[in-house]
């Protein structure tokens, strides 16, 4: 590999852990905007890099970045008017349930997925009620069919009239924002909280192609390995519900056993078969969108990863019984 200094070095294995929340996905609106149009990645605070106090601000999207930024800017002493523009409604979930962080009271992974999902969906509907009662658009999907948008603040701010919902943006003209329903609003700042793209700039034009496809898909065996590409591993390249903080640690267990030879991968054909089945199982609950292509259910993923490590250790034993 070549370093940015120009120096070339040789290594036997490469672990890619460059994160997937740094390359902004920015909408390309027709027209021109005379205010500031920025991505949430550049947002630091209500004062940096743009002074938002007294401004008319549109936040685009309804993921967690939009939840946090819109909630922060909708305080009466912040933006003059705080709009959120969404092309679809989402279920906004509270962060706590029965005094516990919501991810501490999720259904355990040994309960069959269909049952767990049905119970969680009923619970969420009972907990938050209809989104339109907060002045939010009704989702076009079931609870938990999207990466969860979690914020008690957002629900309170929307319900109390501090956040004004808008449909999708159609085009821009000066300070005027034209909306899909034919209405317009005037704005000084647009914050696109529209998510991120996976990028691996260091791969350039490698063969095989190591970039995401045009649907933002990046299938990997156990979300770590491209079948048939030896000595290349990915850590943390998953969109996990509830959290990805613990993900790389769990994945490193498979990597460690693979590198020390106590784990052996299945055949490339078997990796591909398992990869397709895993992807279908993890993604089936979500609506199709670029932001859902690497979504996993962390609890089930961990159980599965541990089972795969045990299976690979058995393969290693069978291949080399005296080791
Ligand atoms: C606003 C925001 C809030 C979030 N909050 C949560 C949360 O509450 N809980 C949660 O689980 N997740 C959250 N996330 C997701 C978050 O991205 C991950 O939890 C976590 O940062 C992922 O860790 P990582 O090490 O995979 O990637 P990163 O933390 O992005 O680290 C990647 C590292 O790779 C380096 N790097 C990148 N490219 C190169 C290169 N070409 N060469 C060398 N080094 C490179 C970067 O400098 C960086 O140090 C949040 C994300 C955002 C944007
Ligand atoms: N407090 C927290 O824990 C916290 C805070 C911020 C971020 N995060 C994490 O960081 C990651 C990224 O979150 P994010 O909110 O930045 O991104 P995200 O989850 O990808 O959400 C992007 C939002 O923008 C919408 N969108 C995308 N393209 C659009 C377009 N062209 N026009 C209109 N809307 C568009 C998406 O709608 P569709 O669904 O229709 O595509 C979605 O509502 C997530 O893992 C999130 O959990 C966590």
């Amino acid at each position: 590999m070549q370093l940015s200094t120009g120096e070339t070095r040789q290594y036997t294995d490469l672990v890619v852990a460059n994160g997937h929340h740094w390359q902004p996905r920015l909408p390309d609106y027709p027209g021109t905007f005379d205010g500031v149009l920025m991505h949430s990645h550049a947002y630091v605070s209500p004062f940096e890099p743009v002074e938002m106090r007294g401004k008319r601000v549109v936040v685009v999207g309804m993921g967690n970045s939009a939840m946090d930024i819109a909630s922060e800017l909708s305080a009466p002493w912040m933006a003059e008017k705080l709009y959120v523009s969404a092309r679809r409604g989402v279920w906004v979930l509270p962060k706590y349930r029965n005094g516990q962080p919501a991810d501490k009271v999720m259904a355990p992974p040994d309960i069959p997925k269909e049952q767990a999902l049905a119970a969680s969906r009923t619970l969420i509907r009972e907990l938050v009620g209809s989104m339109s009662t907060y002045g939010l658009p009704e989702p076009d999907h079931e609870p938990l069919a999207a990466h969860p948008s979690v914020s008690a603040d957002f629900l309170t701010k929307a319900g109390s009239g501090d956040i004004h919902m808008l449909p999708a943006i159609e085009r821009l003209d000066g300070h005027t924002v034209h909306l899909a329903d034919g209405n317009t609003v005037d704005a000084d700042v647009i914050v696109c909280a529209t998510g991120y793209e996976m990028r691996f700039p260091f791969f350039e034009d490698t063969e095989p192609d190591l970039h995401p496809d045009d649907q933002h898909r990046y299938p990997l065996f156990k979300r770590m390995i491209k079948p048939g590409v030896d000595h290349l591993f990915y850590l943390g390249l998953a969109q996990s519900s509830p959290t990805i903080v613990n993900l790389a640690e769990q994945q490193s267990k498979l990597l460690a056993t693979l590198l020390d030879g106590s784990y052996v991968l299945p055949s490339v054909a078997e990796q591909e078969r398992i990869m397709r089945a895993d992807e279908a199982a993890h993604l089936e609950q979500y609506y199709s969108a670029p932001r859902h292509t690497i979504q996993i259910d962390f609890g089930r993923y961990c159980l599965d990863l541990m089972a795969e490590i045990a299976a690979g250790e058995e393969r290693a034993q069978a291949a080399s019984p005296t080791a």
Side-chain angles (χ1 to χ4, degrees):
M1 69 175 65
Q2 190 173 16
L3 305 181
S4 53
T5 54
E7 184 191 351
T8 302
R9 289 195 191 174
Q10 304 285 332
Y11 292 91
T12 54
D13 297 273
L14 176 65
V15 178
V16 173
N18 66 327
H20 54 94
H21 292 139
W22 56 270
Q23 175 66 38
R25 174 181 296 123
L26 257 183
D28 186 14
Y29 297 122
T32 53
F33 184 57
D34 290 343
V36 176
L37 191 148
M38 59 188 273
H39 189 268
S40 54
H41 191 246
Y43 179 92
V44 178
S45 77
F47 325 111
E48 197 186 340
V50 179
E51 171 61 77
M52 302 275 189
R53 280 175 300 188
K55 302 277 170 56
R56 298 160 298 183
V57 182
V58 180
V59 176
V60 182
M62 287 196 81
N64 286 313
S65 295
M67 296 292 111
D68 286 355
I69 294 171
S71 300
E72 185 161 86
L73 294 180
S74 61
W77 54 90
M78 289 289 177
E80 181 195 314
K81 193 104 180 177
L82 194 284
Y83 301 102
V84 171
S85 161
R87 60 184 175 188
R88 70 170 101 223
V90 300
W91 290 91
V92 181
L93 314 181
K95 273 201 166 149
Y96 282 79
R97 204 177 295 160
N98 294 335
Q100 291 283 317
D103 59 356
K104 293 271 183 208
V105 288
M106 285 178 71
D110 49 355
I111 295 182
K113 185 162 181 175
E114 257 178 44
Q115 250 169 283
L117 205 52
S120 301
R121 285 176 166 161
T122 303
L123 190 74
I124 287 168
R125 285 182 191 280
E126 284 170 1
L127 206 61
V128 293
S130 158
M131 289 295 107
S132 57
T133 57
Y134 302 89
L136 300 175
E138 284 296 346
D140 57 5
H141 53 274
E142 290 281 304
L144 304 180
H147 178 71
S149 296
V150 185
S151 172
D153 289 350
F154 189 89
L155 284 179
T156 307
K157 294 288 183 68
S160 54
D162 293 329
I163 290 174
H164 306 271
M165 291 305 301
L166 303 175
I169 296 177
E170 211 153 75
R171 64 189 170 88
L172 304 170
D173 181 12
H175 279 278
T176 306
V177 179
H178 292 261
L179 302 163
D181 62 2
N183 289 322
T184 60
V185 293
D186 286 341
D188 304 301
V189 186
I190 299 175
V191 183
C192 295
T194 42
Y196 296 87
E197 288 170 5
M198 287 176 267
R199 286 244 356 242
F200 310 101
F202 36 84
F203 284 146
E204 295 180 345
D205 296 326
T206 43
E207 189 58 48
D209 185 359
L210 294 174
H211 299 289
D213 73 9
D214 59 358
Q215 317 258 330
H216 201 236
R217 284 185 303 227
Y218 206 77
L220 295 172
F221 174 66
K222 300 299 161 197
R223 290 242 48 81
M224 291 181 67
I225 293 164
K226 260 196 183 295
V229 182
D230 295 335
H231 305 292
L232 175 64
F233 309 100
Y234 298 79
L235 288 193
L237 190 59
Q239 188 65 44
S240 174
S241 184
T243 172
I244 66 175
V245 172
N246 192 1
L247 183 85
E249 184 189 349
Q250 301 309 318
Q251 293 181 324
S252 67
K253 293 174 184 168
L254 188 144
L255 180 59
T257 54
L258 194 154
L259 292 178
D260 77 8
S262 56
Y263 166 94
V264 166
L265 280 164
S267 69
V268 170
E270 184 64 357
Q271 287 175 51
E272 281 172 348
R273 187 192 66 72
I274 294 171
M275 178 176 79
R276 281 194 292 273
D278 282 355
E279 187 156 286
H282 281 293
L283 299 191
E284 68 175 348
Q285 83 185 67
Y286 298 98
Y287 64 74
S288 172
R291 72 179 180 130
H292 288 152
T293 54
I294 58 169
Q295 196 77 26
I296 58 161
D297 174 332
F298 181 65
R300 284 171 213 284
Y301 175 81
C302 284
L303 283 185
D304 183 47
L305 201 62
M306 296 312 125
E308 174 52 32
I309 292 172
E313 284 171 342
E314 277 182 27
R315 284 190 295 269
Q317 278 293 324
S320 176
T322 51

